[in-house]
Amino acid sequence: MSKYFIRLALISAAVMILLYISMQYLDSYTVMILENLGIFIILAVSYNLINGVTGQFSLEPNGFVAIGAYVTALLLLDKNAKLDQFMLSDPSDFILAIHSSFVPALLISGIVASLVAFMLAFAVFRVRGDYLAIVTLGFGFIIRIFAVNQSEYTNGSMGLSGISNEANLMWIGVFVLISITVVLNIVYSKFGRAMKAIRDDEDAAEAIGVDVFKIKTYAFMTSAFFEGVGGGLMASLLTTISPEQFSFMLTFELLIIIVLGGLGSISGSILGTIIVIAGMEWLRFLDEPNFFSDTAHPGLRMVVFSVILILIMLFARKGILGNKELWDIVKVKK
Amino acid sequence: MILQQFFNAISLGSMYALIAIGYTMVYGVLRLINFAHGDIMMVGAFFAFIFFSLSSNFFLAVLLAIVAASVVGALTYKVAYKPLLDKNAPKISLLITAIGVSFFLENLFNMIFGGTPQAFNYPPFFDQTIEISHAIITYSSIVTIVITIFVLCIVLWFLNRTKYGMAIKAIAFDIDTVKLMGINVDFLIVLVFVIGSMLASLGGIFYAISYPSIDPLMGVLVGLKAFAAAVLGGIGSVLGAAIGGFILGFSEVFIVAFFPDLAGYKDAIAFVFLIFILLFRPTGIMGIDFEKQRF
Amino acid sequence: MIALEHITKQFGGVVAINDLNFHVKKGEIFGLIGPNGAGKTTAFNIISGNYTPTSGRVLFKQQDITNKKPNEIVKLGIARTFQNIRLFDSMSVLDNVLVGFDSRFKYNLFEAILRLRRFFTQEEMFTKQARYLLEILKLDTHQFDNAKSLSYGNQRKVEIARALATNPQLLLLDEPAAGMNITESEELADILHFIRRKFNLTIILIEHDMKFVQKVCDRVLVLDYGKVIFEGSPQDMLQDEEVIRAYLGDFVK
């Protein structure tokens, strides 16, 4: 027991020191990429919990990230900033009244996202998981419709700006560590075993006493929580948000990340995030005029990405790590 | 006024019905939510747009577009889904592939034609109107309604009265037994994709005429709504999908007509339906229960 | 212990079970016998809550459990194995058995996330118990192997261990000896007698291997096309003409 906590403390301390040094010595562009990477690791690891570990295909991240971003933004902006910004209609009294500091705002974002997740889960998981994907896909659109139409709460399509920039590399690092620890602690517990059991054979899991509805709901709510937190970090990092930012594209990137890393592998998701974020930067050249043609091809990159996803599914379904973890593989070789 | 809305509702419902049938049939035979189906509707509309710009014969252009779109639909099955089915891959792999195919089609057309909506040209005939007791009704909505009902009858006849149709229905209940009977299941599944794609592209063309513009993402929201309609009608049931499509069309038109304040939320109605039907009657109106054969 | 009363199950128009009645006494090992398609597995699915019967009711210790869900029925003390082995393929043998303990673990999600003391003590306790079950079933050397990599016979035994982990009073075994060679099935027979005594179990099993049935069962019931054609001791069953005609005839030939 104490061994576990000592190890956790040592790893956390090492990561934080490393991040502190990075912040001091790296240029701001590299730090920005690292910050982005951190947020995507939070999102990918938590997305993998419902999709990979529990095996319930879901397309929720953009919706919950949007919820988290808006909640954090509205909590961080002060009353005057809101009165200044809301153009399409006056902010509602409720919106004017709410305000909090950074960390509570992130936690509230996570809690709101997971409460919404609970409501969706209640509708979907009473039948088999089949409809989860389509319900979550639709949910992403609904959130956008609300963000655009409820202008007294969200300032509509104008979005929000001037959100205080408190999400630096250190804070993001803290939440990366928290999210990975929490997800791993779930995976390596009776809940994680039950989730994997549902993924492998739902009927058998139910037949030996696993409360399938409850376990799926836990997985989905945990994913939603960290997606909400990630969205909050994103809002504070970017300082401006608008409904268009949280399109399905975000979910699609995360899907590629977890599929590439290996569905069900937490370390795989971290690896996948690094590869895909780097690859995204690198593949930018595809959209620009190139050797084959002198006109720009906006969107070619996305075509390439979707082909990559299909090819992984067809020829390397298990991704890099399958459902194993890095440390499982190291152990076997010993 | 009511009569006018009534016609708007049926013609909108017709489009949803045409697209919903493809979802329900593919789900019936493969238990797969074919996310790319909404995009086939977009592909059909774009093909009609291209062919009509090449030849001046609209009818011919539409016919070619439907054929071309159904080839695309059949290809998605052959190239993307079938290899996974052959390998007995878990269902999540199929769903991820379906999303990949959907995203691929959207971005391919986005790359070629750009993301901005293009004006959809069609013969002036469709803009003519007739007046029935103060309601002004365009020819396009009359054509949409008549053709949809005609096509629906053909599809229902095909499924219930012909050898191939009945074999398709048999697959929906027990694919393994049908295989054992020496029926070419693969051919029948291709047929399902072809029929579904033909109907979806027809729906897409009607949609393009009534809006009248097309863009690479037009199939996403309509596809989502059509899926909700299929669930509402009872996934697996073709008649149910059609009924679900019409119910959704009516709800959207009349809710906006009676509560203009809610116009911005029109696109959310289908989603609300979907959630409610899952909560209170997951098997939909026609009540087909696919969960039986579990052991 | 358990009683089925006037159970009928139809699928569409097909009658899988027709007015089935039987009861099993505490401590018995009871065999359900019959040709394929006779409705044995359907009867299991009805007891375990995977199917709801078209009519009739199931009583477990005088309590009506007809409309309960599978996971509720497990908690009441009925566990099962499957005819077509259904282990959790991605997991180790030990983890498979630990899933069986799921409803007996007493820590909640927050205790797991925060790694509170109860998490560690419970994990340790149930891991020990799981290892003990694997020892009984002579699988302890395989505990860290992937469940899928085991031999067919051993996979069946993992299923039994997993079912035992739920702390059942009634164990339903669907063809436990299928795919085992003679030594293995004899060993299994001994194990079944041992666990019955050790855990105060009542066992119902479906089996085609008549030698195994003879060796293990106290009483058998023969089904044919959803109807009972014989009930009594396994020795008498072999003499019964109707049974021979319906089932053994085909089988011995």
Side-chain angles (χ1 to χ4, degrees):
Chain A
M1 181 175 173
S2 56
K3 218 170 90 189
Y4 166 82
F5 287 107
I6 291 168
R7 204 172 52 192
L8 181 65
L10 284 177
I11 294 174
S12 309
V15 170
M16 292 316 292
I17 290 169
L18 217 66
L19 290 179
Y20 182 75
I21 296 170
S22 311
M23 244 172 95
Q24 301 301 314
Y25 295 101
L26 293 176
D27 61 283
S28 63
Y29 177 73
T30 317
V31 169
M32 197 193 77
I33 289 186
L34 285 178
E35 287 167 339
N36 197 20
L37 190 69
I39 292 178
F40 267 80
I41 287 176
I42 295 173
L43 299 179
V45 164
S46 50
Y47 187 34
N48 203 349
L49 188 66
I50 183 72
N51 257 316
V53 178
T54 320
Q56 304 299 306
F57 186 44
S58 168
L59 296 167
E60 90 288 359
N62 60 325
F64 291 140
V65 169
I67 290 178
Y70 269 95
V71 171
T72 296
L74 290 168
L75 284 169
L76 290 184
L77 286 171
D78 60 32
K79 198 170 172 177
N80 291 330
K82 285 173 193 161
L83 283 169
D84 275 355
Q85 273 187 41
F86 275 62
M87 300 284 203
L88 301 166
S89 52
D90 288 334
S92 73
D93 294 340
F94 174 72
I95 290 296
L96 281 178
I98 56 173
H99 185 67
S100 86
S101 55
F102 181 58
V103 174
L106 290 180
L107 296 180
I108 294 169
S109 300
I111 290 167
V112 172
S114 59
L115 287 179
V116 176
F118 174 74
M119 292 192 277
L120 289 182
F122 192 78
V124 173
F125 291 141
R126 289 178 338 129
V127 283
R128 308 212 107 189
D130 274 14
Y131 296 131
L132 181 63
I134 201 96
V135 165
T136 47
L137 181 65
F139 175 70
F141 281 98
I142 299 299
I143 284 295
R144 221 150 107 204
I145 291 170
F146 272 81
V148 171
N149 283 294
Q150 292 283 359
S151 47
E152 71 267 41
Y153 294 103
T154 62
N155 199 23
S157 52
M158 311 272 295
L160 299 165
S161 57
I163 305 156
S164 61
N165 181 7
E166 296 182 52
N168 57 21
L169 192 56
M170 299 298 277
W171 273 123
I172 292 172
V174 168
F175 281 98
V176 167
L177 285 171
I178 292 175
S179 63
I180 294 176
T181 309
V182 168
V183 170
L184 282 178
N185 283 356
I186 291 176
V187 169
Y188 289 100
S189 76
K190 72 159 185 169
F191 299 100
R193 285 191 295 265
M195 286 168 191
K196 290 181 201 164
I198 290 170
R199 172 187 67 195
D200 288 355
D201 189 333
E202 183 168 341
D203 297 319
E206 195 175 24
I208 59 162
V210 172
D211 189 337
V212 172
F213 174 80
K214 192 177 86 180
I215 296 292
K216 285 180 184 174
T217 305
Y218 278 172
F220 194 50
M221 285 176 73
T222 309
S223 290
F225 180 84
F226 286 110
E227 280 151 7
V229 171
L233 287 169
M234 213 181 249
S236 169
L237 185 70
L238 301 173
T239 70
T240 50
I241 55 170
S242 71
E244 298 316 307
Q245 247 167 292
F246 308 102
S247 71
F248 183 66
M249 185 61 222
L250 178 65
T251 296
F252 197 78
E253 276 175 46
L254 288 166
L255 186 62
I256 293 183
I257 288 172
I258 62 171
V259 165
L260 180 70
L263 282 174
S265 168
I266 304 303
S267 42
S269 292
I270 299 169
L271 215 62
T273 312
I274 296 168
I275 295 171
V276 171
I277 294 290
M280 281 293 230
E281 290 297 311
W282 180 68
L283 283 174
R284 254 177 222 290
F285 80 88
L286 283 175
D287 282 2
E288 276 141 34
N290 57 36
F291 181 75
F292 300 103
S293 95
D294 358 293
T295 48
H297 287 101
L300 177 57
R301 204 159 55 116
M302 292 299 109
V303 176
V304 171
F305 263 98
S306 37
V307 172
I308 290 174
L309 181 71
I310 297 171
L311 289 179
I312 297 175
M313 287 330 287
L314 289 180
F315 300 109
R317 220 177 334 125
K318 292 190 181 293
I320 297 172
L321 288 178
N323 51 32
K324 302 243 178 340
E325 299 291 352
L326 267 177
W327 44 92
D328 296 332
I329 292 167
V330 175
K331 244 185 236 160
V332 171
K333 289 208 174 123
K334 233 186 268 176
Chain B
M1 184 61 191
I2 295 283
L3 190 67
Q4 175 117 35
Q5 298 291 11
F6 182 78
F7 268 90
N8 291 346
I10 316 185
S11 75
L12 185 63
S14 299
M15 296 169 208
Y16 292 145
L18 286 173
I19 300 160
I21 289 171
Y23 276 115
T24 218
M25 284 178 76
V26 170
Y27 192 89
V29 293
L30 296 181
R31 303 289 189 276
L32 165 72
I33 298 175
N34 182 13
F35 290 102
H37 187 64
D39 301 301
I40 295 293
M41 167 232 172
M42 174 273 293
V43 169
F46 263 90
F47 278 142
F49 170 79
I50 298 164
F51 292 138
F52 189 48
S53 69
L54 296 177
S55 89
S56 55
N57 187 337
F58 188 71
F59 183 71
L60 184 70
V62 166
L63 222 55
L64 282 175
I66 291 172
V67 172
S70 59
V71 170
V72 174
L75 275 178
T76 59
Y77 166 68
K78 277 288 187 185
V79 175
Y81 305 145
K82 186 166 185 301
L84 286 170
L85 289 167
D86 289 347
K87 277 187 258 183
N88 228 338
K91 195 194 255 168
I92 190 164
S93 309
L94 266 148
L95 288 165
I96 291 171
T97 309
I99 274 288
V101 171
S102 160
F103 213 63
F104 170 74
L105 289 173
E106 286 159 22
N107 284 291
L108 184 69
F109 277 77
N110 184 38
M111 190 185 87
I112 300 171
F113 295 97
T116 46
Q118 315 247 359
F120 186 81
N121 295 316
Y122 51 88
F125 166 79
F126 289 102
D127 279 340
Q128 289 173 32
T129 54
I130 50 167
E131 209 180 309
I132 306 172
S133 58
H134 303 298
I136 297 161
I137 294 147
T138 59
Y139 278 20
S140 71
S141 64
I142 294 173
V143 169
T144 304
I145 294 162
V146 170
I147 292 185
T148 301
I149 290 170
F150 177 67
V151 166
L152 272 179
C153 292
I154 292 182
V155 171
L156 286 172
W157 168 80
F158 172 79
L159 285 175
N160 293 312
R161 293 278 179 275
T162 67
K163 195 176 72 179
Y164 290 120
M166 288 195 282
I168 288 172
K169 286 179 84 168
I171 293 181
F173 276 101
D174 189 348
I175 193 164
D176 295 321
T177 310
V178 177
K179 271 182 194 159
L180 287 175
M181 288 161 72
I183 294 172
N184 187 347
V185 170
D186 192 50
F187 169 74
L188 292 174
I189 297 174
V190 171
L191 200 59
V192 165
F193 274 84
V194 167
I195 295 172
S197 304
M198 288 170 97
L199 299 184
S201 49
L202 192 61
I205 293 164
F206 288 146
Y207 188 87
I209 292 174
S210 62
Y211 274 79
S213 73
I214 54 174
D215 70 276
L217 294 178
M218 67 190 268
V220 180
L221 201 55
V222 181
L224 209 62
K225 289 178 182 178
F227 182 83
V231 175
L232 179 65
I235 194 107
S237 159
V238 170
L239 187 61
I243 294 172
F246 285 114
I247 292 177
L248 184 60
F250 270 86
S251 315
E252 286 193 353
V253 168
F254 281 96
I255 286 175
V256 173
F258 290 130
F259 309 98
D261 285 351
L262 292 177
Y265 298 97
K266 180 174 68 93
D267 292 335
I269 294 169
F271 187 74
V272 174
F273 272 1
L274 183 58
I275 296 287
F276 270 83
I277 201 84
L278 289 179
L279 280 175
F280 299 112
R281 192 176 160 83
T283 54
I285 294 169
M286 302 303 281
I288 293 183
D289 187 1
F290 271 129
E291 308 219 343
K292 261 175 211 150
Q293 294 162 342
R294 287 163 61 173
F295 288 89
Chain C
M1 187 74 177
I2 183 138
L4 272 67
E5 295 181 348
H6 304 291
I7 292 288
T8 297
K9 177 71 189 175
Q10 299 183 341
F11 293 106
V14 184
V15 181
I17 294 185
N18 191 10
D19 194 28
L20 176 64
N21 290 284
F22 69 82
H23 72 279
V24 179
K25 290 193 283 273
K26 190 166 165 37
E28 261 187 320
I29 299 185
F30 186 84
L32 266 183
I33 320 286
N36 287 325
K40 296 160 294 173
T41 300
T42 308
F44 266 24
N45 281 328
I46 287 171
I47 299 172
S48 68
N50 294 108
Y51 292 158
T52 320
T54 315
S55 63
R57 56 182 198 153
V58 183
L59 294 179
F60 177 60
K61 297 193 291 183
Q62 271 79 49
Q63 188 190 349
D64 189 339
I65 58 163
T66 319
N67 292 314
K68 291 220 183 309
K69 288 200 302 190
N71 63 322
E72 294 168 341
I73 286 177
V74 176
K75 283 185 190 123
L76 290 173
I78 302 180
R80 69 173 294 180
T81 67
F82 296 92
Q83 184 181 358
N84 46 340
I85 301 170
R86 299 183 77 158
L87 290 172
F88 305 123
D89 292 343
S90 71
M91 299 158 78
S92 69
V93 169
L94 182 64
D95 277 352
N96 263 278
V97 178
L98 280 171
V99 177
F101 282 101
D102 189 79
S103 47
R104 295 163 70 187
F105 272 91
K106 286 286 171 298
Y107 62 79
N108 63 32
L109 190 64
F110 291 99
E111 285 170 294
I113 290 173
L114 300 173
R115 287 292 191 255
L116 298 186
R117 182 173 296 279
R118 193 147 74 147
F119 168 83
F120 291 99
T121 52
Q122 294 255 311
E123 283 287 323
E124 201 185 312
M125 180 172 89
F126 286 113
T127 307
K128 215 180 269 167
Q129 291 191 23
R131 291 205 170 117
Y132 175 63
L133 288 178
L134 289 174
E135 232 168 81
I136 291 177
L137 286 149
K138 305 191 172 36
L139 288 167
D140 38 332
T141 53
H142 294 293
Q143 56 174 311
F144 296 118
D145 293 350
N146 189 295
K148 214 180 174 179
S149 68
L150 264 52
S151 73
Y152 210 59
N154 278 340
Q155 290 193 25
R156 292 213 174 273
K157 292 203 290 187
V158 178
E159 275 213 330
I160 295 173
R162 190 177 69 179
L164 285 175
T166 65
N167 197 18
Q169 294 152 19
L170 174 65
L171 191 58
L172 309 172
L173 304 176
D174 201 340
E175 302 195 19
M180 289 187 176
N181 60 33
I182 295 170
T183 357
E184 282 176 325
S185 71
E186 278 181 356
E187 188 188 83
L188 179 68
D190 293 338
I191 290 172
L192 290 186
H193 282 298
F194 176 77
I195 59 175
R196 159 164 69 169
R197 223 171 335 122
K198 176 83 192 169
F199 301 110
N200 281 322
L201 283 175
T202 307
I203 299 174
I204 307 180
L205 56 87
I206 295 172
E207 192 48 72
H208 288 293
D209 179 346
M210 285 307 142
K211 280 227 178 69
F212 185 78
V213 170
Q214 294 267 336
K215 192 159 191 281
V216 174
C217 294
D218 306 317
R219 215 150 56 87
V220 296
L221 180 134
V222 184
L223 278 176
D224 190 25
Y225 292 107
K227 287 176 112 167
V228 179
I229 56 172
F230 174 85
E231 191 174 351
S233 77
Q235 286 73 28
D236 295 345
M237 172 185 72
L238 294 175
Q239 318 298 324
D240 189 275
E241 270 179 31
E242 205 176 350
V243 173
I244 293 168
R245 194 164 0 109
Y247 180 60
L248 298 172
D250 298 358
F251 204 73
V252 173
K253 178 176 59 181

